[in-house]
Every structure is written in C-alpha cells, then in structure tokens.
Amino acid sequence: MITAIYPGSFDPVTLGHLDIITRSAAMFDKVIIGVLNNTSKTPLFSLEERVNMLKDAVSDLDNVSVESFNGLLVDFVKQKKSNIIIRGLRALTDFDLEMQMAQGNRVVAPDVDTVFLSTSVQYSYLSSSVVKEYARYGVDLKEFVPECVISQLIDKIK
Ligand code: ADP
C-alpha cells in the first residue's frame, strides 16, 4: 500500500493541480493532498475554504483525500505513514526552488523522496496567482479552475 502526499497552498486549486492529482492517483494506492496552513503567506482563501474546494474538486477520485497541516512537511508525511512527496513542475523557474526544497527535505528526512510530475502542456502557464488575476478582470474562468471554484472565486474577488 503506497501512499503519496501532494502538498501545496492551493489558493485556490486549479486545473493544473487537478491534473497532477489525477495522474498521481493512477500511480499510487492512496494520495493525500496536504493543504499548508502557511503563516508567512496571506492567502485569499481561508484554510477551511481551500480544503473544502479541494474536497469538492476530487470527490470522484476514490483514493484521494484532503487534509490540512502545520509545520514541517516531512513530519506530516511521516505522520501519514508515507515516504513520497509529489510536486508539479511547470518551467525552469519552478525547478530551482523545488530542487532546493526536495534536497532540504532529504537532509532532514533521508527516507522521504520527492517525485516530480511535469505539467501537461495546456497547464504550463497556469498558477493560482494567474487565476486570481484573471478573476479580477472578469475573464471566463472555466478553462482554469474546477467548476466548483468559479463562483467562490468571483465572490471572493468582489
Ligand atoms: P506552493 O505554495 O507549495 O508552491 P501551490 O499551490 O502553488 O503551492 O502548488 C502546489 C504544487 O503544484 C507545486 O509543486 C506546484 O509546482 C504545482 N503546480 C502548481 N500549478 C501547476 C500546474 N499548472 N501544473 C503542474 N503543477 C503545478
């Protein structure tokens, strides 16, 4: 039984995230999405809102669950009896930071590995920040976020 953890801010979840989640769910027995309660960033959506939007977005994936966590990612990973972290890579600009985080995590937890999935081409430009920017200017959001996120994002931006 192999469990993998997909951590992130998900502020909010996008179709790019959902693509990584769906592909991971086909690869591992169980995927737990870990929504970071990051005190150094001020998210648009509360932790509870981010968790609930994700739960809605993955409701048709039987082996995927959503939880929030505080503190060190590797502690959360071990607590969930996993040793795999999933991260998505969009471009070279992601690589530097992701490599640094993966290597740092291996220093503090040598038995935990990071698996990188490359983005699907159609989502290579997509981020939660881009989506929030589009929402501010009234762009149709259906190409970018799951259906259940659209109205909440529009309400929040207002
Ligand atoms: P964080 O603040 O941890 O970077 P994000 O919610 O921005 O949280 O991203 C979580 C993970 O999803 C990261 O590994 C990020 O690179 C990946 N990701 C974000 N958007 C995409 C996308 N469009 N395609 C593939 N991976 C993505």
Side-chain angles (χ1 to χ4, degrees), residues 39-68:
T39 46
S40 67
K41 275 189 188 173
T42 312
L44 179 65
F45 290 97
S46 71
L47 184 62
E48 196 188 357
E49 287 170 329
R50 285 178 281 145
V51 167
N52 286 338
M53 283 187 284
L54 267 160
K55 282 186 176 167
D56 243 352
V58 302
S59 59
D60 58 337
L61 298 169
D62 292 342
N63 61 339
V64 177
S65 59
V66 186
E67 296 186 29
S68 60

PDB file of all heavy atoms in Angstrom, residues 39-68:
ATOM      1  N   THR A  39       1.730  30.379   7.753  1.00  0.00           N
ATOM      2  CA  THR A  39       1.528  31.635   8.475  1.00  0.00           C
ATOM      3  C   THR A  39       2.312  32.793   7.857  1.00  0.00           C
ATOM      4  O   THR A  39       2.029  33.956   8.134  1.00  0.00           O
ATOM      5  CB  THR A  39       1.932  31.468   9.960  1.00  0.00           C
ATOM      6  OG1 THR A  39       3.192  30.800   9.994  1.00  0.00           O
ATOM      7  CG2 THR A  39       0.896  30.678  10.728  1.00  0.00           C
ATOM      8  N   SER A  40       3.284  32.488   6.981  1.00  0.00           N
ATOM      9  CA  SER A  40       4.066  33.584   6.395  1.00  0.00           C
ATOM     10  C   SER A  40       3.440  34.135   5.103  1.00  0.00           C
ATOM     11  O   SER A  40       3.864  35.156   4.593  1.00  0.00           O
ATOM     12  CB  SER A  40       5.509  33.143   6.143  1.00  0.00           C
ATOM     13  OG  SER A  40       5.538  32.171   5.146  1.00  0.00           O
ATOM     14  N   LYS A  41       2.437  33.428   4.554  1.00  0.00           N
ATOM     15  CA  LYS A  41       1.744  33.958   3.373  1.00  0.00           C
ATOM     16  C   LYS A  41       0.334  34.362   3.793  1.00  0.00           C
ATOM     17  O   LYS A  41      -0.239  33.745   4.688  1.00  0.00           O
ATOM     18  CB  LYS A  41       1.584  32.845   2.316  1.00  0.00           C
ATOM     19  CG  LYS A  41       2.773  32.657   1.406  1.00  0.00           C
ATOM     20  CD  LYS A  41       2.397  31.685   0.288  1.00  0.00           C
ATOM     21  CE  LYS A  41       3.578  31.272  -0.563  1.00  0.00           C
ATOM     22  NZ  LYS A  41       3.217  30.207  -1.527  1.00  0.00           N
ATOM     23  N   THR A  42      -0.206  35.388   3.141  1.00  0.00           N
ATOM     24  CA  THR A  42      -1.601  35.722   3.425  1.00  0.00           C
ATOM     25  C   THR A  42      -2.442  35.254   2.248  1.00  0.00           C
ATOM     26  O   THR A  42      -2.479  35.902   1.206  1.00  0.00           O
ATOM     27  CB  THR A  42      -1.785  37.252   3.621  1.00  0.00           C
ATOM     28  OG1 THR A  42      -0.765  37.689   4.510  1.00  0.00           O
ATOM     29  CG2 THR A  42      -3.141  37.580   4.192  1.00  0.00           C
ATOM     30  N   PRO A  43      -3.097  34.118   2.387  1.00  0.00           N
ATOM     31  CA  PRO A  43      -3.870  33.592   1.258  1.00  0.00           C
ATOM     32  C   PRO A  43      -5.176  34.359   1.052  1.00  0.00           C
ATOM     33  O   PRO A  43      -5.659  35.018   1.978  1.00  0.00           O
ATOM     34  CB  PRO A  43      -4.141  32.143   1.661  1.00  0.00           C
ATOM     35  CG  PRO A  43      -4.053  32.125   3.143  1.00  0.00           C
ATOM     36  CD  PRO A  43      -3.179  33.265   3.569  1.00  0.00           C
ATOM     37  N   LEU A  44      -5.695  34.268  -0.170  1.00  0.00           N
ATOM     38  CA  LEU A  44      -7.002  34.872  -0.450  1.00  0.00           C
ATOM     39  C   LEU A  44      -8.094  34.070   0.259  1.00  0.00           C
ATOM     40  O   LEU A  44      -9.013  34.630   0.842  1.00  0.00           O
ATOM     41  CB  LEU A  44      -7.238  34.875  -1.973  1.00  0.00           C
ATOM     42  CG  LEU A  44      -8.557  35.433  -2.464  1.00  0.00           C
ATOM     43  CD1 LEU A  44      -8.675  36.927  -2.160  1.00  0.00           C
ATOM     44  CD2 LEU A  44      -8.702  35.215  -3.981  1.00  0.00           C
ATOM     45  N   PHE A  45      -7.980  32.741   0.197  1.00  0.00           N
ATOM     46  CA  PHE A  45      -8.985  31.865   0.808  1.00  0.00           C
ATOM     47  C   PHE A  45      -8.476  31.335   2.149  1.00  0.00           C
ATOM     48  O   PHE A  45      -7.276  31.052   2.288  1.00  0.00           O
ATOM     49  CB  PHE A  45      -9.284  30.672  -0.107  1.00  0.00           C
ATOM     50  CG  PHE A  45     -10.035  31.040  -1.350  1.00  0.00           C
ATOM     51  CD1 PHE A  45      -9.361  31.249  -2.546  1.00  0.00           C
ATOM     52  CD2 PHE A  45     -11.416  31.173  -1.323  1.00  0.00           C
ATOM     53  CE1 PHE A  45     -10.059  31.596  -3.704  1.00  0.00           C
ATOM     54  CE2 PHE A  45     -12.117  31.518  -2.474  1.00  0.00           C
ATOM     55  CZ  PHE A  45     -11.440  31.733  -3.665  1.00  0.00           C
ATOM     56  N   SER A  46      -9.398  31.172   3.100  1.00  0.00           N
ATOM     57  CA  SER A  46      -9.010  30.602   4.398  1.00  0.00           C
ATOM     58  C   SER A  46      -8.619  29.145   4.196  1.00  0.00           C
ATOM     59  O   SER A  46      -8.939  28.526   3.169  1.00  0.00           O
ATOM     60  CB  SER A  46     -10.182  30.694   5.372  1.00  0.00           C
ATOM     61  OG  SER A  46     -11.191  29.766   4.982  1.00  0.00           O
ATOM     62  N   LEU A  47      -7.958  28.587   5.205  1.00  0.00           N
ATOM     63  CA  LEU A  47      -7.549  27.183   5.141  1.00  0.00           C
ATOM     64  C   LEU A  47      -8.772  26.282   4.911  1.00  0.00           C
ATOM     65  O   LEU A  47      -8.755  25.387   4.065  1.00  0.00           O
ATOM     66  CB  LEU A  47      -6.853  26.821   6.462  1.00  0.00           C
ATOM     67  CG  LEU A  47      -6.264  25.430   6.555  1.00  0.00           C
ATOM     68  CD1 LEU A  47      -5.170  25.225   5.521  1.00  0.00           C
ATOM     69  CD2 LEU A  47      -5.712  25.194   7.959  1.00  0.00           C
ATOM     70  N   GLU A  48      -9.825  26.564   5.643  1.00  0.00           N
ATOM     71  CA  GLU A  48     -11.039  25.748   5.542  1.00  0.00           C
ATOM     72  C   GLU A  48     -11.647  25.835   4.127  1.00  0.00           C
ATOM     73  O   GLU A  48     -12.062  24.835   3.549  1.00  0.00           O
ATOM     74  CB  GLU A  48     -12.038  26.238   6.587  1.00  0.00           C
ATOM     75  CG  GLU A  48     -13.146  25.273   6.836  1.00  0.00           C
ATOM     76  CD  GLU A  48     -14.220  25.859   7.739  1.00  0.00           C
ATOM     77  OE1 GLU A  48     -14.066  27.013   8.215  1.00  0.00           O
ATOM     78  OE2 GLU A  48     -15.218  25.167   7.939  1.00  0.00           O
ATOM     79  N   GLU A  49     -11.647  27.041   3.568  1.00  0.00           N
ATOM     80  CA  GLU A  49     -12.194  27.210   2.207  1.00  0.00           C
ATOM     81  C   GLU A  49     -11.354  26.442   1.187  1.00  0.00           C
ATOM     82  O   GLU A  49     -11.889  25.789   0.290  1.00  0.00           O
ATOM     83  CB  GLU A  49     -12.212  28.702   1.833  1.00  0.00           C
ATOM     84  CG  GLU A  49     -13.288  29.494   2.544  1.00  0.00           C
ATOM     85  CD  GLU A  49     -13.148  31.009   2.362  1.00  0.00           C
ATOM     86  OE1 GLU A  49     -12.014  31.538   2.228  1.00  0.00           O
ATOM     87  OE2 GLU A  49     -14.184  31.687   2.396  1.00  0.00           O
ATOM     88  N   ARG A  50     -10.026  26.515   1.337  1.00  0.00           N
ATOM     89  CA  ARG A  50      -9.140  25.814   0.389  1.00  0.00           C
ATOM     90  C   ARG A  50      -9.339  24.298   0.482  1.00  0.00           C
ATOM     91  O   ARG A  50      -9.415  23.618  -0.534  1.00  0.00           O
ATOM     92  CB  ARG A  50      -7.684  26.203   0.654  1.00  0.00           C
ATOM     93  CG  ARG A  50      -7.359  27.608   0.138  1.00  0.00           C
ATOM     94  CD  ARG A  50      -5.944  27.995   0.437  1.00  0.00           C
ATOM     95  NE  ARG A  50      -5.753  28.415   1.806  1.00  0.00           N
ATOM     96  CZ  ARG A  50      -4.664  28.190   2.550  1.00  0.00           C
ATOM     97  NH1 ARG A  50      -3.652  27.539   2.039  1.00  0.00           N
ATOM     98  NH2 ARG A  50      -4.581  28.632   3.773  1.00  0.00           N
ATOM     99  N   VAL A  51      -9.462  23.800   1.716  1.00  0.00           N
ATOM    100  CA  VAL A  51      -9.680  22.361   1.915  1.00  0.00           C
ATOM    101  C   VAL A  51     -11.028  21.950   1.302  1.00  0.00           C
ATOM    102  O   VAL A  51     -11.117  20.964   0.574  1.00  0.00           O
ATOM    103  CB  VAL A  51      -9.623  21.999   3.428  1.00  0.00           C
ATOM    104  CG1 VAL A  51     -10.159  20.604   3.677  1.00  0.00           C
ATOM    105  CG2 VAL A  51      -8.201  22.133   3.948  1.00  0.00           C
ATOM    106  N   ASN A  52     -12.058  22.737   1.564  1.00  0.00           N
ATOM    107  CA  ASN A  52     -13.390  22.367   1.069  1.00  0.00           C
ATOM    108  C   ASN A  52     -13.486  22.404  -0.453  1.00  0.00           C
ATOM    109  O   ASN A  52     -14.112  21.540  -1.063  1.00  0.00           O
ATOM    110  CB  ASN A  52     -14.462  23.263   1.695  1.00  0.00           C
ATOM    111  CG  ASN A  52     -14.696  22.897   3.146  1.00  0.00           C
ATOM    112  OD1 ASN A  52     -14.388  21.766   3.563  1.00  0.00           O
ATOM    113  ND2 ASN A  52     -15.198  23.830   3.933  1.00  0.00           N
ATOM    114  N   MET A  53     -12.829  23.394  -1.075  1.00  0.00           N
ATOM    115  CA  MET A  53     -12.847  23.452  -2.549  1.00  0.00           C
ATOM    116  C   MET A  53     -12.143  22.230  -3.125  1.00  0.00           C
ATOM    117  O   MET A  53     -12.600  21.637  -4.105  1.00  0.00           O
ATOM    118  CB  MET A  53     -12.162  24.737  -3.046  1.00  0.00           C
ATOM    119  CG  MET A  53     -13.049  25.953  -2.893  1.00  0.00           C
ATOM    120  SD  MET A  53     -12.328  27.427  -3.647  1.00  0.00           S
ATOM    121  CE  MET A  53     -11.090  27.854  -2.460  1.00  0.00           C
ATOM    122  N   LEU A  54     -11.025  21.845  -2.502  1.00  0.00           N
ATOM    123  CA  LEU A  54     -10.298  20.650  -2.972  1.00  0.00           C
ATOM    124  C   LEU A  54     -11.144  19.394  -2.807  1.00  0.00           C
ATOM    125  O   LEU A  54     -11.205  18.538  -3.691  1.00  0.00           O
ATOM    126  CB  LEU A  54      -8.988  20.501  -2.196  1.00  0.00           C
ATOM    127  CG  LEU A  54      -7.776  21.143  -2.866  1.00  0.00           C
ATOM    128  CD1 LEU A  54      -6.673  21.393  -1.859  1.00  0.00           C
ATOM    129  CD2 LEU A  54      -7.252  20.287  -4.010  1.00  0.00           C
ATOM    130  N   LYS A  55     -11.803  19.282  -1.652  1.00  0.00           N
ATOM    131  CA  LYS A  55     -12.644  18.098  -1.403  1.00  0.00           C
ATOM    132  C   LYS A  55     -13.710  17.972  -2.490  1.00  0.00           C
ATOM    133  O   LYS A  55     -13.970  16.891  -3.002  1.00  0.00           O
ATOM    134  CB  LYS A  55     -13.300  18.182  -0.020  1.00  0.00           C
ATOM    135  CG  LYS A  55     -12.338  17.809   1.097  1.00  0.00           C
ATOM    136  CD  LYS A  55     -13.066  17.756   2.429  1.00  0.00           C
ATOM    137  CE  LYS A  55     -12.091  17.274   3.509  1.00  0.00           C
ATOM    138  NZ  LYS A  55     -12.611  17.476   4.865  1.00  0.00           N
ATOM    139  N   ASP A  56     -14.301  19.095  -2.840  1.00  0.00           N
ATOM    140  CA  ASP A  56     -15.301  19.125  -3.903  1.00  0.00           C
ATOM    141  C   ASP A  56     -14.689  18.684  -5.223  1.00  0.00           C
ATOM    142  O   ASP A  56     -15.248  17.871  -5.955  1.00  0.00           O
ATOM    143  CB  ASP A  56     -15.777  20.577  -4.079  1.00  0.00           C
ATOM    144  CG  ASP A  56     -17.236  20.723  -3.771  1.00  0.00           C
ATOM    145  OD1 ASP A  56     -17.883  19.693  -3.580  1.00  0.00           O
ATOM    146  OD2 ASP A  56     -17.711  21.878  -3.717  1.00  0.00           O
ATOM    147  N   ALA A  57     -13.507  19.239  -5.517  1.00  0.00           N
ATOM    148  CA  ALA A  57     -12.865  19.001  -6.822  1.00  0.00           C
ATOM    149  C   ALA A  57     -12.417  17.549  -6.997  1.00  0.00           C
ATOM    150  O   ALA A  57     -12.328  17.067  -8.119  1.00  0.00           O
ATOM    151  CB  ALA A  57     -11.669  19.946  -6.983  1.00  0.00           C
ATOM    152  N   VAL A  58     -12.123  16.835  -5.892  1.00  0.00           N
ATOM    153  CA  VAL A  58     -11.617  15.454  -6.020  1.00  0.00           C
ATOM    154  C   VAL A  58     -12.651  14.413  -5.587  1.00  0.00           C
ATOM    155  O   VAL A  58     -12.307  13.246  -5.401  1.00  0.00           O
ATOM    156  CB  VAL A  58     -10.298  15.243  -5.228  1.00  0.00           C
ATOM    157  CG1 VAL A  58      -9.216  16.196  -5.685  1.00  0.00           C
ATOM    158  CG2 VAL A  58     -10.508  15.361  -3.716  1.00  0.00           C
ATOM    159  N   SER A  59     -13.901  14.848  -5.444  1.00  0.00           N
ATOM    160  CA  SER A  59     -14.910  13.939  -4.883  1.00  0.00           C
ATOM    161  C   SER A  59     -15.105  12.663  -5.716  1.00  0.00           C
ATOM    162  O   SER A  59     -15.552  11.651  -5.197  1.00  0.00           O
ATOM    163  CB  SER A  59     -16.238  14.667  -4.691  1.00  0.00           C
ATOM    164  OG  SER A  59     -16.660  15.162  -5.933  1.00  0.00           O
ATOM    165  N   ASP A  60     -14.744  12.707  -7.001  1.00  0.00           N
ATOM    166  CA  ASP A  60     -14.912  11.493  -7.822  1.00  0.00           C
ATOM    167  C   ASP A  60     -13.668  10.601  -7.829  1.00  0.00           C
ATOM    168  O   ASP A  60     -13.647   9.576  -8.492  1.00  0.00           O
ATOM    169  CB  ASP A  60     -15.315  11.880  -9.257  1.00  0.00           C
ATOM    170  CG  ASP A  60     -14.293  12.796  -9.910  1.00  0.00           C
ATOM    171  OD1 ASP A  60     -13.543  13.478  -9.167  1.00  0.00           O
ATOM    172  OD2 ASP A  60     -14.220  12.813 -11.152  1.00  0.00           O
ATOM    173  N   LEU A  61     -12.634  10.972  -7.097  1.00  0.00           N
ATOM    174  CA  LEU A  61     -11.416  10.149  -7.050  1.00  0.00           C
ATOM    175  C   LEU A  61     -11.384   9.395  -5.712  1.00  0.00           C
ATOM    176  O   LEU A  61     -11.156   9.989  -4.656  1.00  0.00           O
ATOM    177  CB  LEU A  61     -10.163  11.026  -7.207  1.00  0.00           C
ATOM    178  CG  LEU A  61     -10.031  11.784  -8.536  1.00  0.00           C
ATOM    179  CD1 LEU A  61      -8.902  12.810  -8.466  1.00  0.00           C
ATOM    180  CD2 LEU A  61      -9.796  10.810  -9.694  1.00  0.00           C
ATOM    181  N   ASP A  62     -11.639   8.073  -5.777  1.00  0.00           N
ATOM    182  CA  ASP A  62     -11.822   7.272  -4.558  1.00  0.00           C
ATOM    183  C   ASP A  62     -10.597   7.196  -3.655  1.00  0.00           C
ATOM    184  O   ASP A  62     -10.735   7.047  -2.443  1.00  0.00           O
ATOM    185  CB  ASP A  62     -12.195   5.823  -4.943  1.00  0.00           C
ATOM    186  CG  ASP A  62     -13.561   5.769  -5.568  1.00  0.00           C
ATOM    187  OD1 ASP A  62     -14.322   6.742  -5.383  1.00  0.00           O
ATOM    188  OD2 ASP A  62     -13.856   4.761  -6.254  1.00  0.00           O
ATOM    189  N   ASN A  63      -9.411   7.236  -4.257  1.00  0.00           N
ATOM    190  CA  ASN A  63      -8.202   7.042  -3.432  1.00  0.00           C
ATOM    191  C   ASN A  63      -7.499   8.355  -3.086  1.00  0.00           C
ATOM    192  O   ASN A  63      -6.321   8.369  -2.747  1.00  0.00           O
ATOM    193  CB  ASN A  63      -7.222   6.075  -4.127  1.00  0.00           C
ATOM    194  CG  ASN A  63      -6.754   6.591  -5.481  1.00  0.00           C
ATOM    195  OD1 ASN A  63      -7.412   7.437  -6.081  1.00  0.00           O
ATOM    196  ND2 ASN A  63      -5.626   6.104  -5.951  1.00  0.00           N
ATOM    197  N   VAL A  64      -8.247   9.476  -3.194  1.00  0.00           N
ATOM    198  CA  VAL A  64      -7.655  10.784  -2.876  1.00  0.00           C
ATOM    199  C   VAL A  64      -8.396  11.402  -1.684  1.00  0.00           C
ATOM    200  O   VAL A  64      -9.629  11.417  -1.656  1.00  0.00           O
ATOM    201  CB  VAL A  64      -7.739  11.736  -4.092  1.00  0.00           C
ATOM    202  CG1 VAL A  64      -7.184  13.111  -3.747  1.00  0.00           C
ATOM    203  CG2 VAL A  64      -6.991  11.152  -5.289  1.00  0.00           C
ATOM    204  N   SER A  65      -7.646  11.890  -0.710  1.00  0.00           N
ATOM    205  CA  SER A  65      -8.268  12.605   0.403  1.00  0.00           C
ATOM    206  C   SER A  65      -7.555  13.934   0.630  1.00  0.00           C
ATOM    207  O   SER A  65      -6.466  14.160   0.080  1.00  0.00           O
ATOM    208  CB  SER A  65      -8.257  11.757   1.673  1.00  0.00           C
ATOM    209  OG  SER A  65      -6.930  11.436   2.000  1.00  0.00           O
ATOM    210  N   VAL A  66      -8.174  14.801   1.405  1.00  0.00           N
ATOM    211  CA  VAL A  66      -7.641  16.162   1.599  1.00  0.00           C
ATOM    212  C   VAL A  66      -7.531  16.455   3.096  1.00  0.00           C
ATOM    213  O   VAL A  66      -8.479  16.212   3.848  1.00  0.00           O
ATOM    214  CB  VAL A  66      -8.585  17.211   0.961  1.00  0.00           C
ATOM    215  CG1 VAL A  66      -7.969  18.611   1.030  1.00  0.00           C
ATOM    216  CG2 VAL A  66      -8.941  16.848  -0.484  1.00  0.00           C
ATOM    217  N   GLU A  67      -6.383  16.945   3.507  1.00  0.00           N
ATOM    218  CA  GLU A  67      -6.178  17.313   4.909  1.00  0.00           C
ATOM    219  C   GLU A  67      -5.369  18.596   4.963  1.00  0.00           C
ATOM    220  O   GLU A  67      -4.684  18.935   4.002  1.00  0.00           O
ATOM    221  CB  GLU A  67      -5.392  16.227   5.659  1.00  0.00           C
ATOM    222  CG  GLU A  67      -6.147  14.920   5.737  1.00  0.00           C
ATOM    223  CD  GLU A  67      -5.433  13.889   6.593  1.00  0.00           C
ATOM    224  OE1 GLU A  67      -4.713  14.281   7.528  1.00  0.00           O
ATOM    225  OE2 GLU A  67      -5.608  12.700   6.300  1.00  0.00           O
ATOM    226  N   SER A  68      -5.401  19.276   6.107  1.00  0.00           N
ATOM    227  CA  SER A  68      -4.534  20.445   6.261  1.00  0.00           C
ATOM    228  C   SER A  68      -3.400  20.080   7.201  1.00  0.00           C
ATOM    229  O   SER A  68      -3.506  19.112   7.962  1.00  0.00           O
ATOM    230  CB  SER A  68      -5.321  21.625   6.803  1.00  0.00           C
ATOM    231  OG  SER A  68      -5.868  21.285   8.047  1.00  0.00           O
TER     232      SER A  68
END
